[in-house]
Structures are given as C-alpha cells and as structure tokens.
Amino acid sequence: MNAATRPHVLVAEDHTPLRAQIVGLLERAGLQVDEAADGRLALHSVLTQPPDLLVLDLGLPGLDGLQLCQQLRLRAPRHVPVLMLTARDTLADKLGGFEAGADDYLVKPFASEELLVRVQALLRRRTLGQDYLLRVGELEIDRRAQQARRAGQLLALPPKAFAILLLLAEAWPRALTRSEIIHRLWDDEPPESDPLRSHLYLLRQHLDRPFVSPMLHTVHGVGFRLRVDDAEGPVS
Ligand code: CA
C-alpha cells in the first residue's frame, strides 16, 4: 500500500507511553498514523484533515473525549468513525460515549490485539461505506441512484426522507440525535421549529408501514437509529 491508499488514523491520547504504544502498533499494521495529546488540537486536526478513524481517549486535557466527539459530530463534513478509549468501565459511561457519537468503545487496560481488531473492523466499515451500495439488514441504499430498497422493494421516498435514511444507515448501529440530523440536513438554518416531524412521518410510511417489523426506532432521550432484527451490533 502506498501513502495515498493507506488508511489514516489519528490517535488522541495524552498518556505518552500509551500513545507511543498505540501509534507503533497501528504503524506496524500498515496504517498512516498521526497523534495528538490535547483535545483541542485533536479536534482542529480532525476538522481540517478528517482521518479515516479517530482513536480517542476519554480523559484528555483541553477538551475531553465526549466533548470532542460531540463537536466532531456537529461540525465534521463527513462521518469520521470514533473508537473511544477509557479507563472507566461502567455502563453509564459507555452509553454516554455512544450518545456523544462514538462508534465503538474499548476499556483500559486492553490487549493490543483487541485494539487492532476493533480498528480494522471500523476501517472495514469505512471501505464498505465508500461503495455506492450501502446495506443495513434487509435495507439497501444506492447512493448513486439515490434509491432505497427494503427486502428488494423500492421505497418511493421524498428527497428529505431519503437523506435522513441515508444518514441513519451510515451511522448504523449507533443512534443519531435530532440536532445532528437537523444540522446535517439544513446546516444551521432549519426551515421551521420542528423540521424533522413531517419527514420522519413520511420515512416511517415508506420504510416501515408495509413491513412487519419497524426499522426506524426512537431512542428515548437520544434520537433515532435503525434497528436490524437478526444482526444487532457493529459489523465485524
Ligand atoms: Ca487520558
């Protein structure tokens, strides 16, 4: 692999020996790696030169991992997968990480092999994402034709409903917050006070109404996500 095709990973970790260890591990795996020891610098780097993956420590000086992740989700031009590292292993912390927009989670101390496997799984999803066909369960989205099919059946989605479905499919299995979707669809100028309402209604009519199990789920207090009956959890 040459430098242009090697996946680019940013490692944001303030603990110098651990950062050096992670950087060495990823470089030996053939990845192109940049590093940051401070949250603000890491955010700047991610926004100006989005990597293919961000390995993000939760406890960072400047801007902590959760804040960085939230800012990233609001401001990045495209989805940058985030693997969150933390010493805290309580369920509440994990859920906090996913709500802020982490794609995966690893509790310290971790085995090098596990970090590498998770990094590779997230990068593989990115490669799949570059394909114009995106599949989530029985849903298939053709980005080029701007068409979605569920169980082979073409969904006659209006453009905004299609755009929401595409965002949710790209984010799957994590949830997107209401404000994240609004920001991605209208930047900072939504046309009305509750702009998602009618579009989500139309999306449900086409995506879920003709089928037995609904795919579009409201995650209470978080936002929306797609649910796939037989394949919950990240693609590996
Ligand atoms: Ca730290």
Side-chain angles (χ1 to χ4, degrees), residues 1 47 56 60 62 67 73 90 96 103 130 176-177 186 225:
M1 281 187 289
L47 292 178
L56 178 62
L60 281 176
Q67 293 169 320
R73 291 295 174 241
T90 66
D103 295 86
Q130 282 178 338
L176 291 179
T177 65
W186 292 284
R225 70 184 287 253

Side-chain angles (χ1 to χ4, degrees), residues 77-169:
R78 61 178 172 82
H79 184 74
V80 175
V82 173
L83 172 59
M84 189 90 87
L85 306 179
T86 175
R88 298 174 224 162
D89 59 353
T90 66
L91 183 62
D93 284 325
K94 282 193 190 184
L95 292 177
F98 280 109
E99 279 170 34
D103 295 86
D104 200 1
Y105 209 97
L106 198 53
V107 175
K108 297 174 189 175
F110 48 81
S112 303
E113 296 78 14
E114 187 174 8
L115 175 71
L116 199 53
V117 164
R118 285 175 190 260
V119 163
Q120 284 164 339
L122 287 168
L123 288 172
R124 200 154 50 233
R125 275 159 70 186
R126 155 204 164 252
T127 320
L128 293 172
Q130 282 178 338
D131 194 345
Y132 63 90
L133 278 183
L134 180 62
R135 289 189 185 83
V136 175
E138 59 183 14
L139 178 70
E140 185 181 282
I141 298 180
D142 184 331
R143 291 183 174 96
R144 204 160 50 180
Q146 297 280 293
Q147 285 179 342
R149 285 186 160 75
R150 181 171 174 184
Q153 200 171 313
L154 184 66
L155 310 177
L157 292 166
K160 280 284 188 274
F162 176 83
I164 295 171
L165 182 61
L166 180 59
L167 289 176
L168 290 168

Side-chain angles (χ1 to χ4, degrees), residues 13-15 57-61 108:
E13 164 66 68
D14 61 317
H15 189 255
D57 180 32
L58 183 63
L60 281 176
K108 297 174 189 175

Side-chain angles (χ1 to χ4, degrees), residues 4-78:
T5 57
R6 274 191 302 156
H8 172 208
V9 180
L10 177 68
V11 177
E13 164 66 68
D14 61 317
H15 189 255
T16 309
L18 180 59
R19 189 176 68 247
Q21 188 192 330
I22 295 172
V23 168
L25 177 77
L26 299 182
E27 282 180 344
R28 283 193 299 280
L31 305 174
Q32 186 194 333
V33 188
D34 280 325
E35 49 189 295
D38 171 277
R40 284 186 201 287
L41 294 176
L43 179 63
H44 178 74
S45 169
V46 171
L47 292 178
T48 49
Q49 212 186 349
D52 298 308
L53 174 70
L54 172 62
V55 176
L56 178 62
D57 180 32
L58 183 63
L60 281 176
L63 193 66
D64 76 31
L66 287 184
Q67 293 169 320
L68 194 158
C69 211
Q70 282 162 347
Q71 287 297 313
L72 171 66
R73 291 295 174 241
L74 284 174
R75 294 163 62 187
R78 61 178 172 82

